[in-house]
Amino acid sequence: MPTLFEPLILRSLTLRNRLWIAPMCQYSVEAEDGVPTDWHLVHLGQFAIGGAGLVFTEATAVTPVGRISPQDTGIWNDEQAAAWARIAAFLRSQGAAAGIQLGHAGRKGSVYAPWGTERRGTVPPAEGGWQAVGPTPEPFADFDAPAALDDSGIARIVTAFADAARRAVTAGFDVVELHAAHGYLLHQFLSPLVNTRTDAYGGPLENRARFLLQVVEAVRAAIGETVLMVRFSATDWAEGGWNEADTASVARWAADAGADFFDISTGGAIPGVQIPLAPGYQVPFATYVRDTAGVPVSAVGLITDAVDAGDIVRSGRADAVMIGREALRDPHFALGAAASAGVDGLAPGQYLRAPYLSA
Ligand code: FNR
């Protein structure tokens, strides 16, 4: 089994290690035009300086209506792509691979950012919000009701994902990830608790997976040999909901349709569920998908200890580990983890005078 600091090869991309930065929304596009700013450059850049093998952008919208909040980033136009190009180039200049997570919020869109305002719930159009869309008109929690997508609306979003992915590759990203987790649009179609359609996109698993698989195929056709990942929530944590067996089946189909790697999280489709939070609580879901579908996976969620991260990879429970909040606390987490694992050569020359002290 490999170690955390052994490279991982996917297609023609060599990731320098298996400690990666999870996608994290920043709600920081103050101009509300989807163009990433200096915040995004510095925020993401620190993780590349800090030794991560792959740095993911936040969920980046493929259409304006696909944003979560008005302050989200996007890549539905060339101005946004050009701003991302500078960021991707910096990440790569530091030896990290640059990953972009492409998302569409669906019925969880047009909401206030979770900080910077006291307001919660749906942003009205007069304040920069929009009519959200979903598989049905059923709202999420107390948000405003979405408009149900018809066949042409779905087809337009498939095309928007492909166009966004093409722009991402042109902007210099090494990895494109589809956000099919956390109750956003693609997950809304997968979950039987959310998707109660009776057409070709609802009902049996094959139908609920149709939209995602169309996106995977269209994106693969748009990006050539670029690495394509999919983030799934492996369970809705709810009786009768989407679960790990469904996830493994659809991951296998997505791999056959052109996806290379799977990033396994949980939850988000249904409000108010009980989630048994504990260190590494989502790792067993990643292992299940890896073993059942025969696909490579990463694990994420409350992994905050370098030794634990190393154990997850070395024991074959996942092929890579992503960290989110721990990287916000310590953007250079990978440098410390490498030092304690006795791995040299990760720190940039500028930082060599500050070696990590051995215990
Ligand atoms: C997130 N998360 C997240 N997930 C995702 O797929 N796309 C996103 O844009 C975001 N945005 C986001 C913002 C912030 C501030 C946090 C803290 C989290 C979830 C994230 O990727 C990760 O799965 C979880 O945070 C669990 O991992 P950690 O933080 O316990 O290592």
Side-chain angles (χ1 to χ4, degrees):
M1 290 296 176
T3 61
L4 196 58
F5 289 97
E6 251 165 74
L8 176 67
I9 298 174
L10 296 171
R11 293 186 182 251
S12 60
L13 177 67
T14 300
L15 297 142
R16 64 178 163 181
N17 61 50
R18 294 151 187 261
L19 189 48
W20 302 347
I21 304 299
M24 285 182 281
C25 284
Q26 299 296 294
Y27 309 103
S28 294
V29 183
E30 286 168 24
E32 303 189 9
D33 59 2
V35 179
T37 67
D38 285 358
W39 174 268
H40 301 88
L41 173 69
V42 174
H43 162 70
L44 295 168
Q46 63 183 342
F47 304 134
I49 291 172
L54 169 60
V55 178
F56 267 109
T57 70
E58 67 190 67
T60 294
V62 299
T63 71
V65 166
R67 289 174 295 171
I68 301 168
S69 79
Q71 291 78 26
D72 285 17
T73 57
I75 187 158
W76 65 80
N77 66 37
D78 291 343
E79 184 191 358
Q80 294 157 350
W84 280 121
R86 175 175 177 230
I87 296 170
F90 182 78
L91 300 178
R92 298 178 72 179
S93 76
Q94 299 306 307
I100 185 166
Q101 188 187 52
L102 299 181
H104 192 302
R107 70 178 190 160
K108 289 175 97 173
S110 193
V111 296
Y112 289 102
W115 56 270
T117 169
E118 297 289 293
R119 316 276 300 267
R120 292 292 169 261
T122 302
V123 181
E127 288 180 42
W130 54 87
Q131 170 65 60
V133 297
T136 74
E138 206 53 42
F140 178 82
D142 58 358
F143 296 174
D144 287 0
L149 286 163
D150 59 14
D151 284 0
S152 65
I154 291 171
R156 275 198 298 274
I157 295 173
V158 172
T159 303
F161 268 101
D163 291 346
R166 193 179 295 110
R167 273 185 213 102
V169 172
T170 306
F173 283 101
D174 302 293
V175 175
V176 171
E177 178 173 88
L178 304 177
H179 195 352
H182 301 168
Y184 295 109
L185 186 63
L186 295 171
H187 184 190
Q188 289 160 28
F189 273 76
L190 295 172
S191 172
L193 297 177
V194 181
N195 179 356
T196 53
R197 296 171 73 102
T198 53
D199 64 355
Y201 291 96
L205 186 63
E206 293 77 1
N207 283 6
R208 284 180 280 117
R210 191 178 308 280
F211 185 15
L212 171 65
L213 296 177
Q214 287 176 344
V215 172
V216 170
E217 278 173 22
V219 167
R220 171 51 69 208
I223 66 175
E225 291 300 305
T226 302
V227 172
L228 177 58
M229 301 191 178
V230 179
R231 174 169 268 204
F232 282 113
S233 282
T235 178
D236 287 339
W237 298 110
E239 197 63 36
W242 171 258
N243 62 29
E244 59 268 40
D246 297 335
T247 307
S249 298
V250 177
R252 187 60 256 162
W253 299 339
D256 294 341
D260 301 308
F261 194 97
F262 298 88
D263 162 10
I264 305 300
S265 185
T266 70
I270 306 298
V273 298
Q274 291 289 327
I275 301 181
L277 294 175
Y281 71 107
Q282 294 177 148
V283 176
F285 292 95
T287 309
Y288 176 90
V289 173
R290 185 179 194 265
D291 293 348
T292 309
V295 294
V297 301
S298 55
V300 68
L302 288 176
I303 300 167
T304 58
D305 182 88
V307 173
D308 291 347
D311 284 348
I312 291 165
V313 171
R314 202 173 319 103
S315 62
R317 281 177 283 158
D319 301 277
V321 167
M322 284 190 192
I323 56 168
R325 289 162 292 182
E326 191 59 20
L328 299 183
R329 293 182 200 105
D330 176 7
H332 300 161
F333 181 83
L335 296 181
S340 48
V343 173
D344 285 331
L346 198 55
Q350 294 93 328
Y351 288 11
L352 285 179
R353 289 184 63 188
Y356 287 81
L357 300 175
S358 48

